[in-house]
Amino acid sequence: MAQDVISFNHVRRNFGKVVALRDVSFKVARGEIVALLGPNGAGKSTAISLVLGLRAPSEGRVEVLGADSRAAITRASIGAMLQETSLPPGLKVSELLVFQQSLYPRPLSLGAAAERGRVADLLDLRVERLSGGQRRRVLFALALCGNPELLLLDEPTAGMDAESRALFWREMDELADSGRTILFTTHYLEEADRHARRVLLLQGGRLAADGTPEQLRRGTGQSTVRFSASTAWAEEVRALLPDCRVDVLGGAISVVTPDPETALRLLMARDVPLEGLEVTAGSLEAALLQLREGDGER
Ligand SMILES: Nc1ncnc2c1ncn2[C@@H]1O[C@H](COP(=O)(O)OP(=O)(O)O)[C@@H](O)[C@H]1O
Ligand SMILES: [Mg+2]
């Protein structure tokens, strides 16, 4: 079934005078794993709350599995891990999981949910006794235990240690391989680069980019050639590479270029001293920074 799992059609969402999302349109197909990226306040959490039907768009339409998101949430299996979620005190983790299972038509067994969410050792603990990291694990197990076909994860790995993050992503990759649709936000760009097959970049409430991580890196991701040379060389470098951005900072000259090989060849032919030479390949981070700078210039 080639049905869109998520569809935003010219969506706007206001909070009073603040426009959290403006004219945002995109579709997510079944089985996609999509990273929603953007600086703080870009509108990521708002977008997730619209998918969940926790908020309604001010204009435009949000559809989930072909229905209005508020209708979809009641009949479809959607699992979510939100930024700020309180767990009801007094309950044991196992009781929470059992309650959560009861909300879904085809939940995982308690044992399977505990294993996949890595909370088997926490089942008898009361919620208020959990540490921060344990809470994140419980929230993840709660998101999984309905065996959902769509997972919405708002900064799921924030505050996790490196080992927990690695285990978390191993589980995510397996879920994605089994055809689940996943939309997640993160501030760790290497997570998006490694695990997402597509990146949506929000910027001031607008959709600024939509592509594979590689496309984003390739499309705007340039390389930086950096070396120590007296600032007197900067003019020469600018004249040699008129199409590149050349900056002088702390005794180093940096050149941003799509073609570092040619830039280096030109610099060496002119005997520009290249002490401490460093070439950094276009990273997702560089790509996003560039998009942001371009946005500011417009
Ligand atoms: N409940 C709310 N009331 C007022 N403003 C809000 C509310 N939720 C979000 N906003 C505003 O909407 C914008 C987008 O916020 P949010 O979606 O949380 O961004 P992100 O998750 O990308 O950091 C911000 O300017 C934020 O202050
Ligand atoms: Mg947020």
Side-chain angles (χ1 to χ4, degrees), residues 8 11 13 21 46-57 62 69:
F8 273 52
V11 170
R13 170 68 206 207
L21 294 175
T46 302
I48 292 218
S49 70
L50 290 172
V51 177
L52 283 170
L54 297 173
R55 302 185 193 288
V62 176
S69 62

Side-chain angles (χ1 to χ4, degrees), residues 199 209-221 284 287-288 291:
V199 170
D210 176 354
T212 65
E214 212 212 320
Q215 282 170 335
L216 262 70
R217 273 191 269 114
R218 196 155 25 98
T220 57
L284 198 52
L288 299 198
L291 265 175

Side-chain angles (χ1 to χ4, degrees), residues 32-252:
E32 279 196 289
I33 173 159
V34 179
L36 189 58
L37 303 181
N40 283 330
K44 305 179 297 293
S45 294
T46 302
I48 292 218
S49 70
L50 290 172
V51 177
L52 283 170
L54 297 173
R55 302 185 193 288
S58 305
E59 283 170 31
R61 192 168 161 83
V62 176
E63 285 184 11
V64 178
L65 294 158
D68 187 81
S69 62
R70 289 185 179 221
I73 194 95
T74 59
R75 61 178 173 75
S77 29
I78 300 174
M81 195 170 161
L82 299 182
Q83 260 181 313
E84 280 154 34
T85 309
S86 53
L87 296 171
L91 288 185
K92 286 186 191 168
V93 170
S94 59
E95 291 167 338
L96 267 181
L97 285 169
V98 169
F99 173 71
Q100 185 84 350
Q101 286 174 310
S102 73
L103 302 175
Y104 289 87
R106 288 175 303 279
L108 296 178
S109 71
L110 185 61
E115 194 200 315
R116 302 185 74 166
R118 293 185 307 112
V119 295
D121 54 329
L122 307 177
L123 288 176
D124 287 330
L125 283 185
R126 291 193 190 282
V127 162
E128 59 272 25
R129 294 195 39 208
L130 299 171
S131 72
Q134 290 172 333
R135 273 178 61 86
R136 297 305 287 171
R137 274 156 60 193
V138 169
L139 289 171
F140 180 49
L142 287 170
L144 287 183
C145 84
N147 199 15
E149 55 179 298
L150 169 62
L151 269 165
L152 300 163
L153 308 161
D154 201 359
E155 298 194 24
T157 57
M160 276 188 195
D161 60 36
E163 191 199 349
S164 297
R165 276 172 65 191
L167 289 168
F168 172 89
W169 281 112
R170 192 185 302 165
E171 187 63 36
M172 280 301 130
D173 289 342
E174 268 174 35
L175 285 166
D177 288 344
S178 70
R180 304 314 206 290
T181 309
I182 301 171
L183 179 66
F184 71 95
T185 73
T186 184
H187 281 293
Y188 303 107
L189 295 182
E190 76 277 9
E191 290 187 341
D193 208 354
R194 187 163 336 147
H195 302 281
R197 291 166 210 169
R198 181 172 160 207
V199 170
L200 299 172
L201 175 67
L202 282 173
Q203 171 104 22
R206 282 183 202 285
L207 192 61
D210 176 354
T212 65
E214 212 212 320
Q215 282 170 335
L216 262 70
R217 273 191 269 114
R218 196 155 25 98
T220 57
Q222 311 228 3
S223 295
T224 302
V225 176
R226 189 179 286 111
F227 51 91
S228 313
S230 90
T231 51
W233 282 98
E235 281 320 304
E236 174 96 28
V237 173
R238 287 201 176 99
L240 276 173
L241 304 166
D243 297 329
C244 299
R245 205 179 87 198
V246 178
D247 287 313
V248 182
L249 199 76

